[in-house]
Amino acid sequence: CKKYLDIEPVGRVIPTTAEDFRALLNAGYAGFAQHKSLLAARTDELVLNEFNDDFPLYRDIYKWNDINPDVLSIQFHYIDFYRTIFNANTVISDVEARAGVNTETAQLKGEAYLLRAYSHFELLNLYAKPYDKNTAATDRGIPLSLKVDLEHIYTPATVAVVYDQVLADIAEGQKLLNVKTFEAGKNYRFTTRAAFALLARVREFRGEYAEALKASKDALALDNQLEDLNAAGAVLPNNYLAKENIMSMESPFNNGINRLARISAHLIGLYNQTDDLRFAKYFSKSGSNYVALKGASDANKISFRNGELYLIQAEAALQTNDQALAVQSLLALKAKRLTPAYYTTEATRISALDKNALLQEILVERERELALEGQRWYDLRRYGQPQITHTVGGEAFILQKNDPRYTIRFPKDAIANNPNLQ
Amino acid sequence: TVLSAEDGKPIPGASVFVDKSGIGEQSSPGVIQNTVIGAMTDANGHFILKVPARTTYLKVSYLGYTTTMVDITNKTKITVSLKNDDKVLGEVIVTGYADIAKRKNTTSVAKLDYEKVRQNGVAGVDQMLEGQIAGVSVANLNGGPGAAPKIKIRGTVSLNGTQDPLWVLDGLPLEGTNLPNKLTDKDNIDQLRNLPIAGLNPDDIADITILKDAAATAIYGARAANGVIVITTKKGKKGPMAVNFSANTFISDRPDLSKLNLMNSNQKVDFELGMASRPDLIYRDNQGSVARILNKSGELSNYRTNGFSGLTAGTQDAINALRGNNTNWANELYQTALNQQYGLSLSGGSDQANYYFSSGYYNEKGTTIGTGMERYNITLKTDFNLSQKLKAGVAVFGSKTNRKNYLTDPDGYTNVSTYSRNVNPYQTVRDANGNYAYDLDILGTVNGDVYLPYNFLEERANTRYTLGNKSVKTVMDLNYEINRAFNIRTELGLQFEDTGVEKYAGQESYNTRKLRQSSSYFNSGLGKTDYFLPLGGVITNQNTSFFQYNWKSILEYKKVFAENHEVEALAGTELRRTYNEDVLTRGFGFNERTLTNQNIVFPNADFAKNPNFNSYQKGKQENAYASFYGTLSYTYDRKYTLYGSIRYDGSDLFGVDPKYRYLPIYSVSGAWNAKEEKFIKDINWISNLRLRSSYGIQGNIDKTTSPFVVGNYSNANILPGGNQPTISVTSPPNNKLRWEKTSTFNAGLDLGLFNNVVQVTFDYYNRYSKDLIGTEALQLENGFDFTNANFARVKNKGLELSISTRNIQTNNFQWSTDFNIAQNKSKVVQEKIRPNQLTPSREGFPVGAIFVLKTAGLDANGIPQFMKDGQVVSLENFYKLYDPWADFFPGELTSTALSNEEFRNLYTYAGDMEPKFTGGITNRLRYNNFDFAVTATFNIGQTVLARPQYNPAQVDRGRNYSTDILNAWSPTNAGSNMPGIFGKDSFDGERYMAYNWLTGFDASNSYNNLDVFSKKISYMRVSSMRLGYSLPAAIAGKVKANTLRVSIEARNPFVISTDYKGYFDPETYGNIYAQPISRSISIGLNATF
């Protein structure tokens, strides 16, 4: 009778082996939120085409109307992050008990810690104020999810507490990770290099430049290649096959936004259109407008790459008063992006800049290099929260300087299920 | 004279007739055949009957006695003695596992003869049950052709789990009969479904038994928690072949759209002009033709300063022209439909075998144009007596059902019921050139510039949605009588259901346009936006094949000891396995004429992930169940019966907590046949008196919820160069889930008076359900938005009363009445309240409790004000609204200072969604050859909540509203009680918090729960009126027919109700998606040969 009832269902599984846990973790990677594509609509990088039929989906995001968006408006991601965290939490708690302790399970568990850290970090960037060490202990952060427990009552932890957890998870993960680089196609996973890259970004966002500098150096010490746009056959630096790739998990500029996005005059204006080789690689002219070539494809997924690390290194070195290293890092990147002749003029110009001007130059270079890679909104938050204007139907909508809308409200669904978020 | 063989007393009311019949209408026992010559015995058991000269036999029958044939050759005066019989059809309760003599019954069951509930022009037997049995509620959720109604037996036990009863066909429990709980929302309302019971030709049914209490259902195990409906089909009778033919034509009436009180073109244009004059209203302010005209001519501000007369003549004409377009949408969307139904059956038998063959055809066109249902049936049943001891039976039920509809878009904008409410009355169907006129107010068209043209008629013409079901159900049984005491029986039931769904959307349809639009991408080669969806239609095929076998083996024991001790026992096993496989395929760029399709070339793998472009998907499921059960019944002295049953259900083990692998389910019950007691036996006017009582426990565990992390294998395309294996978890692990347990107590009384002229059945029950499993919303931080959890304890108490009377009994006039009424009161004893919940706990209130916010009319700005602690307060104060950004960014945010608990306490209880009383009444009259029957059902004292006609802060001028909105409050109409329409900037922006609150800051949308939207309704629906005429035998004989009957029947001719303004029918009050319940008139012919 027991045998009669023993049906191993097709297609369903209780994860027990390392392969199962790999698949479970993969689901966490694959389902990672594509919030950066929505954030792009809030930055100064784009002008949206009002006559695209998808425009109503983005209209209120574009207008920073978080208050009473139209029913059609896309909601910012929330549950997706926690679904990924759920998968990570399951791997953290079960993988070694079920599938044994070995380098493979250690790598899996390490990746899970990093994935959890990154998810919490991204939630903070969306829904909490930028880090300020004076107020972090009281600033409202986001709820932490550290184990699977349906009875747990989630309340937002402070920004400081969330960051402590993020750093602790990175540290815990770094102890376990043992793969430096995954082959192309599997490089959506966290590695020892990606862990350093994440740490560098977290420290940079916290304004802890000494730590940021160390982490970026550690990462580049493992591999410091850059894609050389002067070389024949060079791919986009954010391509998953690029020499400088560290990790390609996210679609920061997915097809949804790409379809109706035109590049803003502000962004176009930052480039030397002939001698900055990025310009032709990044953008294409469509009618009288420029559209992006960087997104809308799995091949262009990007989370971390060496190009960003060079910029973090430059920024962190400068902020820790190592201007020589700052200039050196910046120029190392530019050498691979500009025509040789233009590089020479730029090198001369940049070497002569004072500290403030150099910082500005680094920030502008971030805009140029990391355009449409989901970094801009965070950089705007970190540096100055300037005023931005978008026009819809002839009417100007203004995001004011230091506008509270630089922090996004928790989505309606999330508040409905957890009023502690109000 | 007719006497009882047992005590020699006369039997009044017995039927004496000349029998010619096979199987025909109204041939249930105890009722005289319409066309036959017959008489009824009087109080002394006497009868007088004139018979044609050649008649040699008379048949004498009476309920509870064996029907006897009497030779009357050359006799003028006869005396007949009828023998008591427990085994005649009407006296046995068929549970599907055993036939229990009615005198030994201890449980609460109800039995219906099919002929009593039969209605013409109704596709399924489920719809015929409405109002027929006390405690069984049948609710029409949708008026579509053959749409399944929601059936509930004795209220709601499960809060979120399945609420549907188990259907059993000749002993085979059918699978796949559950309906989704949220049938009435937009995701489900347009789904075509074919429930297994819909494949059965109702005319093949002999009778229906409904098992209501735990003692009756326990034998079916866990899945019977919502009651059981046992269907017994017709059998051939011994005798020459009887042929029965019936034909019906029925006309369904076009629904009456005027019930919705929508604005006409003139009113709508004035309304839009009124909206346009107010710069403070910016919600969707470019929608609607008036706004489009004013925007186009650039005269909006001119209109606001100078009024209508200030507009240029051209603009005035354009606006006035709209007033003349009064499209009759009722005629465009709905029709009067002509439908047909035919049936033919052959039956007969001998000592060795009997047979019943039938075939049927049913064709119903919906009153909604483009919908319909068609069914072919065949039924073959034979029983063989292989030897004195060995009997075998085979039954095969085959059917083919086709249903059709057009395709509505995935967002529900184009659902016919919503569209008929929302479409502007000035919207035309075709333009002056005969081309489709597109509706510019369908969302997805932007600011009046049409990107995705939508026209309802084009959609109907160019899309197709069909569901075809082929079903075969077979039941084979073998019965061997070992000796007088022991009997062994085995029964194998098979069910095959093959369902194919086809959805086709042609290139010229909103559906395809929408999909194509989502395939747009920037083609860097061409330097412009391109689409990867090939031109042409989109076709989706979904095939589901289901198979189950159910193999029961039962050993029965029956013995009478020392005359007074009757023992019956039964032990059995049941093995069951179900297989379900479904495959979905899609073709793009489909050409209907060449039947060719094109492959999609995805510009990159990212697009291939969109499930809308998925071209193949397969699902497979197998489940196994093994059960053991036994019953024991003991009767003493024909007066006292005790009965007990127990069952163990085991099922496949994957992911299930081992604790819950076997579920014991048991019951005990008893009955006292008081009529057999000496002191009552002699009371003549009491002809029957029985008392019953039962108690039983049923349990259930949700098998989809596991204490472990259970996932599905899948593949994800994360980066180019190959898929990565994934395991996606669909529900969170939950180790806190416990058994759901329901205990039921039942007490009942069966009473017959004056020789059963009046028969009364009364039942009281009390059901207590502990640890009810339901879906519970989770905080999204869990990674899941809901789980199944034990979260409530619910009590259901109820009373059921059925009365059948034979009011008048004379030779040529008879009148009888069946009446039933039931009351069910539910109470949530305990309910888990999440700290995040914003709606009040139902603890202490009914399951269907409706809670409302008490309003106190409108304030000086026409915004609702509320009652709080006996004081009238403004909306802002009621919700304690404040602006968290008041210091640096006023006007942007609005929040409530109420804690969740305080928020919950704002509500007051308004009433119960479930009616206080439900029931039905049927009157049957016969005068000579005419017969007439009226069935009415009623619901008394039900609280309902209407959808608000409009949200005062979000009035969309691009759609139509009920004329109520014309009476909205305004400074010039300050006496109105309908909230005024306002915007963020109205009243100098001072009420922005109220505005923000109504436009979405209120996470619980509590505007929908204002007390003004709730009310109590009661209604009575005459569901059927039927008049029949049986042609005199002489005329029938001319066409070689034994009987010939014509009938005319009106279905749902009218409903008497308290006010249900704004909806089609009180039954679907509050549901804007429901199709109207159709009214029809049918003409039928029935002949037996």
Side-chain angles (χ1 to χ4, degrees), chain B residues 464-531:
Chain B
R464 194 174 65 230
Y465 176 15
T466 58
L467 180 145
N469 171 276
K470 288 183 276 276
S471 163
V472 178
K473 303 172 191 87
T474 66
V475 182
M476 282 172 275
D477 66 275
L478 209 57
N479 195 77
Y480 183 71
E481 202 182 309
I482 301 167
N483 55 37
R484 280 186 67 87
F486 283 99
N487 187 48
I488 189 161
R489 189 149 58 88
T490 184
E491 203 173 290
L492 178 67
L494 306 178
Q495 182 185 356
F496 305 82
E497 301 278 347
D498 203 355
T499 307
V501 169
E502 180 166 299
K503 292 179 181 178
Y504 170 76
Q507 182 180 323
E508 293 306 321
S509 69
Y510 179 72
N511 238 291
T512 303
R513 288 178 193 124
K514 206 165 184 173
L515 187 67
R516 184 167 158 79
Q517 202 52 234
S518 70
S519 79
S520 76
Y521 70 103
F522 180 74
N523 186 330
S524 46
L526 296 172
K528 65 177 179 101
T529 299
D530 202 0
Y531 304 89

Side-chain angles (χ1 to χ4, degrees), chain B residues 178 478 516 735 1031 1045 1053 1067:
Chain B
N178 289 345
L478 209 57
R516 184 167 158 79
N735 55 9
L1031 274 71
R1045 181 169 179 272
E1067 192 162 340

Side-chain angles (χ1 to χ4, degrees), chain B residues 255-546:
Chain B
D256 183 6
L257 230 58
S258 69
K259 288 223 167 72
L260 305 182
N261 285 319
L262 299 168
M263 287 188 268
N264 63 29
S265 296
N266 210 13
Q267 288 167 318
K268 183 72 202 306
V269 169
D270 285 337
F271 176 70
E272 285 185 38
L273 282 170
M275 296 285 283
S277 68
R278 291 180 54 181
D280 56 334
L281 304 179
I282 55 164
Y283 181 76
R284 290 196 172 150
D285 57 353
N286 291 317
Q287 300 296 112
S289 288
V290 170
R292 277 189 292 272
I293 292 169
L294 290 175
N295 284 341
K296 200 173 159 198
S297 67
E299 288 184 276
L300 181 61
S301 60
N302 178 24
Y303 168 68
R304 283 179 183 163
T305 26
N306 300 322
F308 191 73
S309 54
L311 296 173
T312 58
T315 308
Q316 288 196 16
D317 288 348
I319 291 173
N320 283 331
L322 295 173
R323 301 177 191 270
N325 300 348
N326 263 312
T327 304
N328 188 339
W329 281 100
N331 288 355
E332 301 294 343
L333 304 178
Y334 300 108
Q335 66 185 358
T336 296
L338 181 68
N339 306 307
Q340 296 152 65
Q341 181 181 12
Y342 301 97
L344 177 69
S345 72
L346 311 174
S347 66
S350 66
D351 284 333
Q352 281 72 43
N354 64 54
Y355 60 91
Y356 172 86
F357 300 154
S358 89
S359 60
Y361 173 71
Y362 180 88
N363 186 345
E364 178 178 356
K365 289 188 196 74
T367 51
T368 303
I369 300 174
T371 64
M373 169 186 171
E374 198 179 23
R375 183 181 63 208
Y376 299 88
N377 277 98
I378 183 152
T379 302
L380 308 169
K381 274 184 78 169
T382 53
D383 292 306
F384 304 98
N385 296 331
L386 300 172
S387 74
Q388 271 296 65
K389 302 202 151 198
L390 190 62
K391 288 178 186 160
V394 181
V396 180
F397 303 90
S399 70
K400 177 176 158 60
T401 313
N402 294 318
R403 292 162 192 268
K404 64 169 184 170
N405 202 341
Y406 51 87
L407 206 53
T408 50
D409 77 297
D411 301 322
Y413 299 139
T414 59
N415 164 281
V416 65
S417 303
T418 17
Y419 193 70
S420 60
R421 280 167 190 269
N422 289 351
V423 64
N424 282 313
Y426 52 69
Q427 174 66 41
T428 50
V429 176
R430 286 177 189 272
D431 63 17
N433 302 324
N435 297 320
Y436 288 118
Y438 293 114
D439 187 342
L440 305 177
D441 289 306
I442 277 286
L443 297 170
T445 61
V446 188
N447 292 338
D449 297 311
V450 180
Y451 288 96
L452 294 178
Y454 173 78
N455 177 294
F456 197 94
L457 270 74
E458 181 187 51
E459 211 60 15
R460 195 167 67 203
N462 293 345
T463 68
R464 194 174 65 230
Y465 176 15
T466 58
L467 180 145
N469 171 276
K470 288 183 276 276
S471 163
V472 178
K473 303 172 191 87
T474 66
V475 182
M476 282 172 275
D477 66 275
L478 209 57
N479 195 77
Y480 183 71
E481 202 182 309
I482 301 167
N483 55 37
R484 280 186 67 87
F486 283 99
N487 187 48
I488 189 161
R489 189 149 58 88
T490 184
E491 203 173 290
L492 178 67
L494 306 178
Q495 182 185 356
F496 305 82
E497 301 278 347
D498 203 355
T499 307
V501 169
E502 180 166 299
K503 292 179 181 178
Y504 170 76
Q507 182 180 323
E508 293 306 321
S509 69
Y510 179 72
N511 238 291
T512 303
R513 288 178 193 124
K514 206 165 184 173
L515 187 67
R516 184 167 158 79
Q517 202 52 234
S518 70
S519 79
S520 76
Y521 70 103
F522 180 74
N523 186 330
S524 46
L526 296 172
K528 65 177 179 101
T529 299
D530 202 0
Y531 304 89
F532 64 78
L533 184 72
L535 280 176
V538 177
I539 189 161
T540 306
N541 285 86
Q542 192 172 6
N543 290 301
T544 310
S545 76
F546 172 84

